[in-house]
Amino acid sequence: MAQDVARRAGVSTATVSRVLNGSAGVRADKRAAVIRAAQDLGFVANGAARALSTRRFMAVGAVVPNIENEAFVRVLSSFQDRLRRAGYTLVAANAGYDLEDELREATFLLERGVDGLMLVGDIHHPDLHARIARSGIPTVQTFSLSRERPCVGFDNAASASRAANYLMDLGHRRIGVISGLRKDNDRGGARVNGIVQALAARGLRLAPEHDIEISYGIGGGRDGFRQMLAGGEPPTAIICGTDQIAFGAMIEARTRGLAVPGDLSVIGHNDSDFAPFLDPPLTTIRIHSAEIGHAAGDHLIARIQGRPTVQFTEIDAELIVRASTAPPAR
Amino acid sequence: MAQDVARRAGVSTATVSRVLNGSAGVRADKRAAVIRAAQDLGFVANGAARALSTRRFMAVGAVVPNIENEAFVRVLSSFQDRLRRAGYTLVAANAGYDLEDELREATFLLERGVDGLMLVGDIHHPDLHARIARSGIPTVQTFSLSRERPCVGFDNAASASRAANYLMDLGHRRIGVISGLRKDNDRGGARVNGIVQALAARGLRLAPEHDIEISYGIGGGRDGFRQMLAGGEPPTAIICGTDQIAFGAMIEARTRGLAVPGDLSVIGHNDSDFAPFLDPPLTTIRIHSAEIGHAAGDHLIARIQGRPTVQFTEIDAELIVRASTAPPAR
DNA sequence: CGGATTTTTGAAAGCGCTTTCAGATAGCCA
DNA sequence: TGGCTATCTGAAAGCGCTTTCAAAAATCCG
């Protein structure tokens, strides 16, 4: 098809290619002729041929645990933003919190052809890195930090610790945790660990009946808190893995006649859209999704283009204090 | 690289290709040898070469107004589900409710190489269809119906009408609308039209001060309702373009001392996760996102593979009645 | 104005697969 | 076992670009 353009413009395909790729060294009149011809014909280069020839796919893959999860979507969106600017396409895939599936999806992307890959978290299928290494493309890990591999993320343990310390500073001693499923999820695990450590540092511990693991969502939060109440003395404060879980827990608390924050302080994670509008407005740990996505995108593009990069980027999470937390009742 | 496998297996690349693509007619022992060799070498076919050779990209594009919008994400997710089953990759792009941007993104996908394209809604840049036609790939329109082009969607006007009729059956006479921005958005427009028609059918009209257009989100909903109250006699019921808007309106109503549904009935759109958990639980129009995505995916795959399809698929939206609607106060 | 440079240009060689087509093998039956 | 099919297999021709390399054209300079 570049043939057609070449014929119409009275030049060779080599010149067509040069013009369309903006390389210098084409006389102005020929350049104009090519552009005209391409326009007239509505020429659209064949991406596969170009990719085959240049050995560049102009595409970057991303494998996230759940495309429907707000936190990941926000990061993907800002990630894509940066890719597009550099002329790259984002191809996103769903791993569904399962290492086998993640491996399968990543392999699929590798086969399809991508120039770089974004992954979430630290825990992967044992074969994943070998396979990526073999393909020779750069990778960036997001949402959690790593010493071994390039990453853009935050210290999940530290930010959860901060939340726990904040609650303890308010005077809470019985603190509970409702997290999403932690199997194959280093972020969730790290958060709980951070909380456990913070508690330990002040001589407290996370009671097993206050350590609840449920599936994500508002319904999960309700179930989780119900479960927690079933286990003896209730906590005076809880830290939830997401704002949805926190929302569910607050609903359940209200149903049980517990006032938030009077009888129960609640902290969420992610600062979802609705968090400031809950009743009471939810204290939560805000992840700077846009910055993570931008940094990850910039990093990957730079690596693909062979520019120097930093391997470790920490984007601090932030505790947003609203009205769902208060000192415990006397 | 298929070279390497061929050499190692002691066959030609033709046979390697045959084995790896599952085509019949390869003797069992050679087949096994090829599979072994491929495995040993960790062979991953070059997608570009394959695409160039087969003239198939094994990718499908989708351009949605906003990747961060729950309704679109859910459809994309189920759409992708079907594509993956058929071995296709989804490449999604953001149009941001702007026709120029949509055109640009669609063109980008076309260049990159996709075998099919999913679009949202009926209103597009005048050049879009010409460009798609030239590329010769099948397209499917989602979220709204069309007589001209293959589509999978629902009748936005009819479902909004249904909501209005339901409110009128409850006895409401002053009904307001808070919609998202309607510029270049046929769905929003159709919904308002549906409501206007339903009202007209019963001799009512939508007062201009009760027809509010705001940007999406909870904050938008609050602002919208505040604006509506500023315009004279308040409505006894409102229909909102999304559940987020409805949520915002409910918050604003409560702030103003209006009880829901006592003083104000509220209906949302989309049946978001949180809708059943609001206080009171939100009556809303549920869009069967998963079915839309599946149907759109199946349709496109069938077209790509040259199988017969139906051109018009209506997936009915459904009014989910919860507690945010009631007869108006006397 | 002729020769030395510099700038442009096109022919042709890939890129790594798939697929056709004809030849090689294997299988079958008399 | 020979002759004839039915199966398999590999050589080679693309797929539609990019890019190298050498030749052609334009420009420069003494």
Side-chain angles (χ1 to χ4, degrees), chain B residues 1-2 14 17 21 43 46 49-50 53-54:
Chain B
M1 294 243 142
S17 171
N21 291 301
F43 173 71
N46 178 314
R50 172 177 288 167
S53 184
T54 59

Side-chain angles (χ1 to χ4, degrees), chain B residues 159-160 163-164 167 175-180 182 188 191-192 195 210 212 214 216-218 220-222 224-225 228 237-251 264-271 282-285 287 319 324-325:
Chain B
S159 59
L167 289 173
I175 296 176
V177 174
I178 307 179
S179 78
R182 300 207 283 269
R191 288 175 187 177
V192 176
I195 293 167
H210 290 166
I212 308 285
I214 43 86
Y216 286 106
I218 299 175
R222 292 186 74 160
F225 190 59
M228 195 179 285
I238 56 174
I239 300 175
C240 300
T242 65
D243 290 348
Q244 278 76 11
I245 294 177
F247 187 4
M250 278 169 58
I251 290 169
L264 179 76
S265 286
V266 178
I267 295 185
H269 261 93
N270 291 4
D271 196 20
L282 182 65
T283 294
T284 186
I285 291 174
I287 291 162
L319 181 67
S324 68
T325 44

Side-chain angles (χ1 to χ4, degrees), chain B residues 7-254:
Chain B
R7 199 169 311 123
R8 188 179 180 105
V11 300
S12 72
T13 61
T15 298
V16 170
S17 171
R18 278 190 275 256
V19 170
L20 266 30
N21 291 301
S23 48
V26 176
R27 230 171 44 208
D29 57 333
K30 299 223 173 194
R31 154 165 276 119
V34 168
I35 291 176
R36 268 233 72 208
Q39 214 133 41
D40 290 352
L41 265 40
F43 173 71
V44 173
N46 178 314
R50 172 177 288 167
L52 182 58
S53 184
T54 59
R55 251 144 306 200
R56 288 280 199 77
F57 294 94
M58 298 312 281
V60 169
V63 185
V64 300
N66 179 7
I67 300 207
E68 301 193 41
N69 183 125
E70 197 180 346
F72 298 127
V73 172
R74 290 199 301 215
V75 168
L76 281 181
S77 177
S78 50
F79 184 64
Q80 179 179 37
D81 185 62
R82 284 304 211 264
L83 299 184
R84 282 293 278 106
R85 268 190 219 189
Y88 284 76
T89 311
L90 171 64
V91 184
N94 233 80
Y97 295 99
D98 182 288
L99 300 189
E100 291 288 346
D101 287 349
E102 186 190 43
L103 179 65
R104 174 151 11 91
E105 292 296 333
T107 304
F108 190 73
L109 292 181
L110 257 28
E111 282 193 32
R112 151 144 259 300
V114 288
D115 301 313
L117 193 57
M118 181 193 111
L119 297 173
V120 171
D122 216 355
I123 301 182
H124 303 287
H125 192 285
D127 296 353
L128 181 62
H129 285 296
R131 214 163 286 193
I132 291 171
R134 198 154 43 206
S135 79
I137 63 173
T139 303
V140 65
Q141 159 177 335
T142 56
F143 278 91
S144 61
L145 300 169
S146 157
R147 286 121 272 106
E148 282 104 51
R149 271 177 279 285
C151 60
V152 176
F154 51 94
D155 186 332
N156 285 277
S159 59
S161 277
R162 196 177 321 161
N165 282 323
Y166 165 71
L167 289 173
M168 291 188 285
D169 289 344
L170 287 177
H172 292 277
R173 313 280 300 167
R174 292 200 310 282
I175 296 176
V177 174
I178 307 179
S179 78
L181 298 177
R182 300 207 283 269
K183 175 174 173 299
D184 300 337
N185 177 348
D186 58 319
R187 283 92 57 210
R191 288 175 187 177
V192 176
N193 290 343
I195 293 167
V196 168
Q197 279 161 28
L199 291 174
R202 306 220 194 166
L204 299 176
R205 68 190 205 91
L206 177 61
E209 68 270 25
H210 290 166
D211 179 7
I212 308 285
E213 189 176 336
I214 43 86
S215 60
Y216 286 106
I218 299 175
R222 292 186 74 160
D223 295 347
F225 190 59
R226 191 176 306 136
Q227 217 170 305
M228 195 179 285
L229 290 184
E233 199 176 17
T236 61
I238 56 174
I239 300 175
C240 300
T242 65
D243 290 348
Q244 278 76 11
I245 294 177
F247 187 4
M250 278 169 58
I251 290 169
E252 186 63 22
R254 177 166 314 142

Side-chain angles (χ1 to χ4, degrees), chain A residues 76-145:
Chain A
L76 281 181
S77 177
S78 50
F79 183 65
Q80 179 179 35
D81 186 61
R82 284 304 210 265
L83 299 184
R84 283 291 279 107
R85 267 189 218 188
Y88 285 76
T89 311
L90 171 64
V91 183
N94 232 76
Y97 296 99
D98 181 289
L99 300 189
E100 292 287 345
D101 287 349
E102 186 190 43
L103 178 65
R104 175 152 8 92
E105 291 296 333
T107 304
F108 190 73
L109 292 181
L110 257 28
E111 283 193 32
R112 149 142 262 298
V114 289
D115 301 312
L117 194 57
M118 180 194 112
L119 297 173
V120 171
D122 216 355
I123 301 182
H124 302 287
H125 191 284
D127 295 353
L128 182 62
H129 285 297
R131 214 164 286 193
I132 291 170
R134 197 154 43 204
S135 78
I137 63 172
T139 303
V140 64
Q141 158 177 334
T142 55
F143 279 91
S144 61
L145 300 169

Side-chain angles (χ1 to χ4, degrees), chain A:
Chain A
M1 291 248 148
Q3 284 281 9
D4 304 340
V5 178
R7 199 169 311 125
R8 187 178 181 107
V11 300
S12 72
T13 61
T15 299
V16 170
S17 172
R18 279 189 274 258
V19 171
L20 266 29
N21 292 301
S23 48
V26 176
R27 231 171 43 209
D29 56 335
K30 300 225 172 193
R31 155 167 274 119
V34 168
I35 290 175
R36 267 231 73 207
Q39 214 132 40
D40 291 353
L41 265 40
F43 174 71
V44 173
N46 179 313
R50 171 176 288 165
L52 181 59
S53 184
T54 59
R55 252 145 308 205
R56 287 279 202 76
F57 295 95
M58 299 310 281
V60 168
V63 185
V64 300
N66 178 7
I67 301 204
E68 301 193 43
N69 183 125
E70 198 179 345
F72 298 127
V73 171
R74 291 199 300 218
V75 168
L76 281 181
S77 177
S78 50
F79 183 65
Q80 179 179 35
D81 186 61
R82 284 304 210 265
L83 299 184
R84 283 291 279 107
R85 267 189 218 188
Y88 285 76
T89 311
L90 171 64
V91 183
N94 232 76
Y97 296 99
D98 181 289
L99 300 189
E100 292 287 345
D101 287 349
E102 186 190 43
L103 178 65
R104 175 152 8 92
E105 291 296 333
T107 304
F108 190 73
L109 292 181
L110 257 28
E111 283 193 32
R112 149 142 262 298
V114 289
D115 301 312
L117 194 57
M118 180 194 112
L119 297 173
V120 171
D122 216 355
I123 301 182
H124 302 287
H125 191 284
D127 295 353
L128 182 62
H129 285 297
R131 214 164 286 193
I132 291 170
R134 197 154 43 204
S135 78
I137 63 172
T139 303
V140 64
Q141 158 177 334
T142 55
F143 279 91
S144 61
L145 300 169
S146 158
R147 288 119 270 106
E148 281 104 50
R149 270 177 280 284
C151 59
V152 175
F154 51 94
D155 186 331
N156 285 277
S159 59
S161 278
R162 194 177 321 159
N165 283 323
Y166 165 70
L167 289 174
M168 290 188 286
D169 289 344
L170 287 177
H172 292 276
R173 312 281 299 167
R174 291 200 310 282
I175 296 176
V177 174
I178 307 180
S179 78
L181 299 177
R182 300 207 283 270
K183 175 173 172 301
D184 301 337
N185 177 348
D186 58 319
R187 283 92 56 212
R191 288 175 187 176
V192 175
N193 290 342
I195 292 166
V196 168
Q197 278 162 28
L199 291 175
R202 306 220 194 166
L204 298 176
R205 67 188 206 92
L206 177 60
E209 66 271 25
H210 291 166
D211 179 7
I212 307 285
E213 189 177 336
I214 43 85
S215 60
Y216 286 106
I218 299 176
R222 293 186 74 161
D223 295 347
F225 190 59
R226 191 175 306 137
Q227 216 170 305
M228 195 178 286
L229 290 184
E233 201 174 18
T236 61
I238 57 174
I239 299 175
C240 301
T242 65
D243 289 350
Q244 277 77 12
I245 294 176
F247 188 2
M250 279 170 57
I251 290 169
E252 186 63 23
R254 177 166 315 141
T255 306
R256 301 303 188 96
L258 294 173
V260 175
D263 302 312
L264 178 75
S265 285
V266 178
I267 295 185
H269 261 92
N270 291 1
D271 196 19
S272 300
D273 294 342
F274 61 79
F277 298 105
L278 294 185
D279 178 26
L282 182 66
T283 294
T284 186
I285 291 175
R286 177 186 293 167
I287 291 162
H288 297 279
S289 321
E291 282 154 56
I292 292 179
H294 286 159
D298 290 343
H299 173 94
L300 223 38
I301 295 292
R303 295 259 300 288
I304 290 172
Q305 300 181 339
R307 286 183 279 122
T309 56
V310 293
Q311 139 129 1
F312 188 97
T313 306
E314 182 162 2
I315 309 275
D316 223 8
E318 187 181 355
L319 181 68
I320 306 291
V321 176
R322 300 204 181 92
S324 68
T325 43
R330 286 260 43 237

